Amino acid sequence: MSSRRKRRAIIIGGSMSGLFSAAFLRQIGWDADVYERSAVELVGRGAGITTHPELLDALESCGAGITDLGIEVPKRFAIDRNGRITGEKPLRQILTSWDRLQRLLRETIDEAHYHLGWAFERVEQNGSGVRVHFNKGRVEEADLLIGGDGIRSSVRGQVAPELQPQYAGYYIWRGAPEEADLAPKTLKEIFPYFVFYLPPRQEIITYPIAGFNNDLRPGHRRYNFIWYRVADENQLREMNVDRNGVQHDYSVPPPLIRPELIEGMYSDARDIMPEVMLDCVMTMKQPFITPIYDFTADRIVFGRVAMVGDAAANARPHMGFGVAKAGGDAKALARCLDAHDDVDEGLKAYNAERQPIGNIIVKHSRKLGTHMGVNLRTEEDRRMHELLQTDEAMMDWIAVPNFLDAYDIPGRVPGRV
Ligand SMILES: Cc1cc2nc3c(=O)[nH]c(=O)nc-3n(C[C@H](O)[C@H](O)[C@H](O)COP(=O)(O)OP(=O)(O)OC[C@H]3O[C@@H](n4cnc5c(N)ncnc54)[C@H](O)[C@@H]3O)c2cc1C
């Protein structure tokens, strides 16, 4: 391959899939520059991330490694309204945080190739390359444009505007209380574990993650808290009005969430939560709302534009697999480009390999979402909804490793991206 002209990729988005793409492309000898619209380093609001063998494989193989990745829990269990354990399942799993992953991946890229404050505006293609326009009138050229700019991708907005994420009919209250703020009972009974509490049509999931600056010391960690709740489109629109009366399209930035929404959430929590979970709710410093959307795509390559991660296809977060998928897309893209002298042939191979996998992942997430009892359209949806009404079933299906083994995916090696 050494006789090849050195090729260049422009990558939009400086988060998980953008950084994975740069790391894997560099390994095959490409120049890769990442352009992130945020003018400041990205931070993840303490969001927890479930890991999977595929994510560990992607981190190791791209050179980021898994040093101090997170906290290992020995098991998962479910509790009832009184805090009594209703079922348990031994399952060793490493729980990490978005911030830790960002830091590990960020270290794989040279400062000179990571550009903050560059917002993608549009791309022109001429069949053998791309000319990319950014804010402030800046223009860059390359052999390939990679859209790693997330679920609301503006790259996808240009090449496939018809692909719009669909609201799932439910949203999440999220937060990460500090270990030091939690009551001794909470620390003893649930903090070291992956815990489920499943009132009707709701889902509460908690697990420990590192503290600020990846602090893994006891006493300095945080507890990831996720509470799924149903809301129709109208209710969501109403929740998306901020404290200044401004209507937002998708979600309200955490500091602008209306105080009465937070008060209402506290009040509902008092009505239904076991004491240890209520403790988590009441100690979260800045609870925030994430509405759940998803979409599938018929293709993920558009000429010399390739989509990766959430921008390519976005699953609901029930499997906690989004970052693993981002790593898998990036690795496959580099492998396919390396295997073909012709860039377009490489992209064709990438599309053939990853487009179906992206859709399988999204469809699997919809199955798990039937637990919430929203938009049950088919007999299969209703059957799945029934199946997921027990604590045992939820522990068997939600955020478990190796769920892709149930699908016949040509060429896939279990545990590898
Ligand atoms: C509630 C919830 C829980 C989750 N839990 C897990 C979990 O446990 N495990 C897991 O693996 N995944 C989880 N995920 C999914 C995971 O967070 C995503 O899959 C992952 O962050 C996707 O990475 P990405 O780089 O593709 O997109 P993003 O992280 O969305 O990054 C896109 C980047 O592109 C930038 N950008 C956007 N537009 C432009 C532009 N025009 N120009 C330049 N830059 C731009 C953005 O600023 C952003 O930095 C969860 C998601 C949610 C919502």
Side-chain angles (χ1 to χ4, degrees), residues 3-66:
S3 60
R4 275 186 195 163
R5 175 178 66 80
K6 191 156 177 101
R7 287 173 170 149
R8 177 172 192 240
I10 290 174
I11 300 169
I12 308 299
S15 170
M16 306 289 128
S17 52
L19 288 169
F20 269 128
S21 300
F24 282 119
L25 282 179
R26 228 179 11 260
Q27 287 182 347
I28 62 160
W30 280 54
D31 276 334
D33 278 87
V34 172
Y35 296 89
E36 165 57 47
R37 75 175 162 198
S38 168
V40 294
E41 287 290 346
L42 302 173
V43 285
R45 301 177 190 160
I49 296 286
T50 314
T51 69
H52 291 260
E54 291 91 339
L55 174 60
L56 306 188
D57 179 52
L59 289 167
E60 298 267 36
S61 53
C62 83
I66 55 169

Side-chain angles (χ1 to χ4, degrees), residues 39-107:
V40 294
E41 287 290 346
L42 302 173
V43 285
R45 301 177 190 160
I49 296 286
T50 314
T51 69
H52 291 260
E54 291 91 339
L55 174 60
L56 306 188
D57 179 52
L59 289 167
E60 298 267 36
S61 53
C62 83
I66 55 169
T67 309
D68 289 338
L69 185 59
I71 298 173
E72 188 179 70
V73 295
K75 63 179 177 183
R76 40 177 62 195
F77 58 77
I79 57 176
D80 66 13
R81 171 78 172 88
N82 297 312
R84 278 189 300 251
I85 294 179
T86 58
E88 84 176 51
K89 183 180 162 77
L91 181 58
R92 294 201 166 275
Q93 208 162 14
I94 299 172
L95 289 321
T96 185
S97 66
W98 192 94
D99 292 309
R100 181 63 188 148
L101 293 173
Q102 178 75 7
R103 184 81 63 92
L104 284 171
L105 287 164
R106 187 74 176 74
E107 280 167 13

Side-chain angles (χ1 to χ4, degrees), residues 156-232:
R156 195 187 66 242
Q158 185 182 338
V159 295
E162 69 286 359
L163 287 180
Q164 292 294 333
Q166 304 296 314
Y167 177 52
Y170 50 90
Y171 69 98
I172 309 178
W173 275 107
R174 305 166 79 180
E178 307 281 339
E179 181 178 7
D181 294 336
L182 293 169
K185 183 177 163 74
T186 313
L187 293 175
K188 178 165 177 278
E189 292 184 7
I190 62 170
F191 186 85
Y193 310 107
F194 194 113
V195 183
F196 294 75
Y197 171 54
L198 302 161
R201 302 186 81 198
Q202 301 184 57
E203 200 172 312
I204 294 144
I205 293 172
T206 56
Y207 54 79
I209 58 171
F212 180 68
N213 248 338
N214 203 43
D215 201 334
L216 292 164
R217 290 173 302 161
H220 299 260
R221 299 165 295 183
R222 290 173 294 189
Y223 202 48
N224 189 62
F225 183 93
I226 312 178
W227 179 7
Y228 286 87
R229 308 187 72 188
V230 173
D232 65 23

Side-chain angles (χ1 to χ4, degrees), residues 214-363:
N214 203 43
D215 201 334
L216 292 164
R217 290 173 302 161
H220 299 260
R221 299 165 295 183
R222 290 173 294 189
Y223 202 48
N224 189 62
F225 183 93
I226 312 178
W227 179 7
Y228 286 87
R229 308 187 72 188
V230 173
D232 65 23
E233 302 258 1
N234 291 331
Q235 289 167 311
L236 178 64
R237 196 167 310 113
E238 201 270 327
M239 284 163 51
N240 280 343
V241 176
D242 73 18
R243 63 194 312 157
N244 302 316
V246 175
Q247 177 76 57
H248 294 254
D249 287 340
Y250 307 115
S251 63
V252 174
L256 297 179
I257 295 176
R258 298 202 312 279
E260 72 263 27
L261 282 183
I262 297 177
E263 281 308 319
M265 184 269 287
Y266 287 157
S267 162
D268 293 346
R270 281 188 207 97
D271 288 345
I272 64 158
M273 297 263 177
E275 188 185 342
V276 284
M277 295 268 174
L278 183 61
D279 182 35
C280 299
V281 172
M282 302 313 286
T283 47
M284 287 195 283
K285 292 225 171 66
Q286 190 164 61
F288 62 102
I289 294 172
T290 304
I292 303 303
Y293 284 83
D294 68 22
F295 73 94
T296 56
D298 289 344
R299 58 193 181 121
I300 58 173
V301 170
F302 305 84
R304 284 295 179 96
V305 178
M307 308 304 299
V308 289
D310 282 9
N314 185 260
R316 304 177 190 182
H318 301 292
M319 296 92 76
F321 198 73
V323 185
K325 175 188 173 293
D329 287 349
K331 189 172 182 180
L333 178 59
R335 186 176 5 88
C336 292
L337 289 169
D338 196 37
H340 295 85
D341 278 332
D342 183 300
V343 173
D344 298 297
E345 287 302 313
L347 292 174
K348 208 165 129 190
Y350 167 66
N351 189 75
E353 179 176 332
R354 293 303 292 185
Q355 180 271 343
I357 293 183
N359 287 351
I360 286 171
I361 293 170
V362 176
K363 287 177 183 163

